[in-house]
Structure formats: structure tokens, C-alpha cells
């Protein structure tokens, strides 16, 4: 029996007075067809929109690497950190560095359906494409940039580790890039080694910043560089720059890199991973190999954070994804940069204990406590 709405009166049945009357369901059928057609069109439109590219990328937990273990190379597995030219020791079991996989690039954007799924995932995040790929930047160019960051972070990690162990080494501050129309434009050159500023010997970028800040806007600043093997005296007049957070600082408009001359060789092999965020974990792995005893003991520890030659740990991106990456890899403890604590709170997976670290010494104190079976409740942590 087919029912048409609420029409159950018997109209149109044989022998009834209205059996020859015009039936009424036809208009309703047309309305039903029109309704279903509209619904079908709406689904088609939604499907097209869902599969259209979105101006966002998706952050998700990436591969996890044990800096005390091995990494795959073209030939065979090799130690992720190799040290030659000095004595090394047995290491602990696990010091995991974390990565973030980014889904999407200007050439191949995620669609809105993927964005919607990621939006409701605890381990994923949706961020504007422009944060990863500023206008005009290709995926290949970004890969090249992050590879440079990775190489620099490795060198800074070696410097931080050796400084922690009181191993002597020398460093040079090299001009890597010059901002167009800045005070340094036309005065300094890429490749210049900055050796003196304002009459002060310069060993690293922190010293250069301090000299520029102390000089402020007090006219030209004297500088000495080594260019093509020759010492060159010159002057640069710092200008005041305002940053997006409203703060200001005096700058000369150069980007610098530090190069080091270490007394022995430290090699870090890690393919297809870019960025500076593994610096702290590299430094801990190097220290473990250069000192007797297992640094983390038998504890399973993961962590993240940039590092400079002075051992200061800096913030990183994708902390939430790295927390879940650590948990998925079986870590029990996590070293998080202090400046990322506001992103950590409320996003810690069950079973993972997070410690707040601002320096390499902070990280070593956590590992010492874990190795010795001490009370971890007294260690700094990220709290609301």
C-alpha cells in the first residue's frame, strides 16, 4: 500500500462516490520530486565545495627519531650522531626528537573536507597556508630554507654541548644576508666576518646585539670585518625597528650565522627533516656520547626546542602535534620549551609527564632526576 501524506479517507476506492474524481497526489508528487532534486543539487554543491582547495595546511604528528639510535641512509643504517677524534661512551636507551608533518603546500592544498576532519582532531591543527608559505614561496624554496635551519641548529647544538662540557672551540660570526635599503646595505657584504663592533671584540650574535643596543641611535657605529682575507674598517648607523608585538630595537639590517671550529668531528645524519627545533635533543645526545653513563638511564624521554651556543632553549611550532607524537612513540616523559607552556596546558596526552625547560642545564637536571629515580614532582612543569 502506498500512502500519500495523511490522505487515508478512502477517496478513489471502487464503488465510492468519488471513484471517478481526479486524484490529488500528483501535485504532491511534483513537489516531492522538486524537493528531492533540490536536496540532490545541494549535496552536489557541498561535495564540490568539500573537495575544493582550502588556503590552509594541516599539522599532524610526524616521524619520531631516537638521537641515541640509528637512522636510515642510502647504504645502511648509521648512528644518527657520530663522533670521531675523541673518546665516546655507551649511551642511554631513548632520547626522542619529534617532527611535525605538514599536509599541503601552494601547489597542492588540502580540501575543505580534510580541513574539517583535522579541525576536530586533538592531534592535528589547521593553520593558514601563509604561515608556512609566505606569498611567492614555493614548497621547494621552503624545503631549502628549513634545511639551512637544520644545519645551523646542528652546529649550535654541538657548540652548546661542548660549552656545557667545558671543551674549548672557536667561532666566527658571518654575514649571511643583508636587508634591502637597511643601514648595512652597500656597506657590509654577504660573507663578511664581523670581528669587532664599537671597539668590542665580537664572538657571537648575542654580543653584536648587545653592542648595537648599547650604541642605540648615537650616530655611526664602527665595525671591523674580515673580507677576502683582509681586515676592513667601516661604519654603519643603526636604525630603530618596530616589531609586530609593538617592541622596538636598534638594528643594522643583517642576518648572521655562526660558524665553529671544533676540536673533533661531530656528524648528525638525518634525511628529509628541516627546521631548528631538534637542537636541544641533538645537544643532549652529544653530551650523552661524550660522558660516562647513560644520560636518561632507562627512562623513555622525548623533547623538542631550539638551542643556541649559550645553551638557551627556544620555542618551536607544532608543540601539540609533538606531544601526541611522543605519546604514540611510547615516551613517558617530555621536555618542553618554557615559552611553549601556554600551548602545552590542556593538550597533554594521558600517561605523558611534561617538564618545562628554558636552558640545557634545565634539561640535564630532569634527566639526572629520572636516571637516579628521584622525585619528579619537584621539577618545573607547565601548569595553568
Amino acid at each position: 500500500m502506498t500512502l500519500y501524506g495523511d490522505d487515508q479517507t478512502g477517496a478513489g476506492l471502487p464503488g465510492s462516490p468519488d471513484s471517478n474524481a481526479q486524484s490529488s497526489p500528483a501535485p504532491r508528487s511534483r513537489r516531492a520530486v522538486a524537493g528531492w532534486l533540490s536536496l540532490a543539487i545541494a549535496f552536489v554543491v557541498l561535495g564540490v565545495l568539500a573537495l575544493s582547495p582550502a588556503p590552509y595546511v594541516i599539522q599532524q604528528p610526524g616521524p619520531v627519531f631516537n638521537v641515541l639510535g640509528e637512522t636510515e641512509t642510502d647504504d645502511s643504517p648509521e648512528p644518527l650522531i657520530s663522533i670521531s677524534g675523541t673518546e665516546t661512551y655507551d649511551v642511554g636507551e631513548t632520547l626522542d626528537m619529534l617532527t611535525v608533518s605538514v599536509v599541503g603546500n601552494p601547489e597542492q592544498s588540502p580540501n575543505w573536507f580534510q580541513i574539517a576532519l583535522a579541525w576536530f582532531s586533538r592531534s592535528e591543527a589547521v593553520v593558514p597556508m601563509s604561515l608556512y608559505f609566505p606569498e611567492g614561496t614555493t614548497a621547494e624554496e621552503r624545503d631549502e630554507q628549513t634545511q639551512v635551519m637544520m644545519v645551523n641548529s646542528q652546529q649550535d647544538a654541538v657548540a652548546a654541548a661542548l660549552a656545557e662540557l667545558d671543551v674549548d672551540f672557536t667561532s666566527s660570526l658571518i654575514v649571511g644576508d643583508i636587508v634591502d635599503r637597511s643601514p648595512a646595505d652597500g656597506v657590509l657584504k654577504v660573507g663578511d666576518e664581523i670581528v669587532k663592533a664599537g671597539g668590542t671584540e665580537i664572538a657571537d650574535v648575542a654580543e653584536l646585539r648587545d653592542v648595537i643596543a648599547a650604541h642605540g641611535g648615537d650616530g655611526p657605529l664602527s665595525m671591523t670585518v674580515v673580507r677576502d682575507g683582509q681586515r676592513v674598517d667601516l661604519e654603519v648607523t643603526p636604525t630603530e625597528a618596530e616589531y609586530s608585538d609593538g617592541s622596538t630595537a636598534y638594528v643594522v639590517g643583517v642576518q648572521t650565522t655562526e660558524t665553529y671550529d671544533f676540536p673533533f668531528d661531530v656528524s648528525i645524519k638525518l634525511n628529509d627533516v628541516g627546521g631548528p627545533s631538534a637542537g636541544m635533543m641533538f645537544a643532549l645526545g652529544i653530551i650523552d656520547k661524550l660522558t660516562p653513563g647513560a644520560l636518561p638511564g632507562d627512562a623513555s624521554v622525548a623533547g623538542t626546542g631550539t638551542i643556541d651556543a649559550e645553551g638557551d632553549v627556544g620555542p618551536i611550532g607544532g608543540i601539540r602535534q609533538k606531544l601526541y607524537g611522543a605519546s604514540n612513540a611510547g615516551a613517558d616523559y617530555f621536555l618542553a620549551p618554557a615559552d611553549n607552556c601556554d600551548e602545552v596546558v590542556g593538550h597533554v596526552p594521558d600517561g605523558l609527564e611534561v617538564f618545562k625547560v628554558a636552558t640545557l642545564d634545565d634539561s640535564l637536571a630532569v634527566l639526572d632526576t629520572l636516571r637516579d629515580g628521584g622525585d619528579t614532582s619537584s621539577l618545573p612543569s607547565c601548569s595553568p
Side-chain angles (χ1 to χ4, degrees):
M1 176 183 294
T2 301
L3 302 178
Y4 297 93
D6 295 325
D7 186 5
Q8 302 178 39
T9 62
L13 293 177
S16 70
D18 298 326
S19 61
N20 295 321
Q22 179 68 36
S23 177
S24 63
R28 294 188 180 183
S29 297
R30 286 194 294 271
R31 286 196 298 271
V33 169
W36 282 109
L37 182 59
S38 298
L39 188 59
I41 292 173
F43 274 118
V44 170
V45 172
L46 287 174
V48 171
L49 289 176
L51 297 177
S52 63
Y56 296 94
V57 296
I58 300 169
Q59 294 175 329
Q60 56 187 214
V64 177
F65 300 92
N66 180 9
V67 300
L68 302 180
E70 295 182 328
T71 183
E72 293 293 332
T73 65
D74 293 337
D75 299 324
S76 60
E78 294 185 24
L80 195 149
I81 298 176
S82 300
I83 301 176
S84 60
T86 191
E87 185 176 9
T88 58
Y89 302 87
D90 292 335
V91 296
E93 292 186 8
T94 306
L95 282 176
D96 283 337
M97 56 158 282
L98 295 315
T99 67
V100 174
S101 292
V102 177
V103 178
N105 57 59
E107 290 79 34
Q108 189 173 5
S109 302
N111 59 52
W112 285 102
F113 181 71
Q114 292 172 296
I115 295 296
L117 292 178
W119 191 269
F120 293 100
S121 170
R122 296 186 65 188
S123 64
E124 296 180 327
V126 176
V127 299
M129 177 83 69
S130 58
L131 291 182
Y132 274 88
F133 303 94
E135 186 175 356
T137 302
T138 65
E140 183 178 0
E141 288 171 339
R142 175 170 170 77
D143 287 344
E144 292 173 354
Q145 294 167 0
T146 58
Q147 285 300 315
V148 171
M149 293 179 188
M150 170 59 79
V151 171
N152 290 339
S153 75
Q154 292 174 356
Q155 293 299 295
D156 288 340
V158 178
L162 298 196
E164 179 70 29
L165 299 175
D166 294 324
V167 177
D168 292 332
F169 60 91
T170 59
S171 65
S172 302
L173 189 64
I174 307 298
V175 175
D177 196 11
I178 298 174
V179 178
D180 290 340
R181 296 183 294 278
S182 70
D185 192 8
V187 181
L188 291 167
K189 292 184 177 181
V190 172
D192 284 349
E193 178 188 350
I194 301 174
V195 295
K196 187 180 290 187
T200 301
E201 296 288 337
I202 300 297
D204 55 46
V205 68
E207 290 184 354
L208 178 61
R209 287 174 183 154
D210 289 343
V211 169
I212 294 173
H215 183 83
D218 190 20
L221 172 67
S222 64
M223 298 184 73
T224 301
V225 302
V226 175
R227 180 182 297 167
D228 300 326
Q230 302 294 320
R231 292 175 72 92
V232 179
D233 295 324
L234 45 82
E235 290 183 337
V236 182
T237 302
T239 185
E240 191 173 25
E242 183 175 353
Y243 299 102
S244 58
D245 62 357
S247 63
T248 61
Y250 280 93
V251 299
V252 297
V254 296
Q255 295 180 5
T256 59
T257 59
E258 289 186 58
T259 62
Y260 305 97
D261 185 11
F262 300 121
F264 47 81
D265 292 329
V266 179
S267 174
I268 300 176
K269 294 184 178 180
L270 189 61
N271 296 328
D272 302 322
V273 178
S277 64
M280 180 187 69
M281 299 307 292
F282 287 148
L284 292 174
I286 293 165
I287 291 173
D288 200 359
K289 292 204 167 195
L290 292 175
T291 54
L295 199 60
D298 59 1
S300 180
V301 182
T304 186
T306 65
I307 202 162
D308 60 22
E310 288 71 43
D312 295 318
V313 175
I316 53 85
I319 187 71
R320 191 174 74 184
Q321 289 69 51
K322 292 180 179 180
L323 288 165
Y324 279 92
S327 178
N328 294 340
D332 298 314
Y333 306 100
F334 190 97
L335 306 176
D339 288 339
N340 282 120
C341 267
D342 58 337
E343 301 171 81
V344 169
V345 174
H347 297 291
V348 179
D350 293 339
L352 190 66
E353 190 171 359
V354 179
F355 304 104
K356 177 176 69 174
V357 297
T359 65
L360 187 57
D361 283 338
D362 291 344
S363 300
L364 291 169
V366 172
L367 297 183
D368 287 345
T369 301
L370 294 176
R371 183 187 61 246
D372 298 338
D375 180 13
T376 60
S377 63
S378 62
L379 297 171
S381 62
C382 295
S383 56

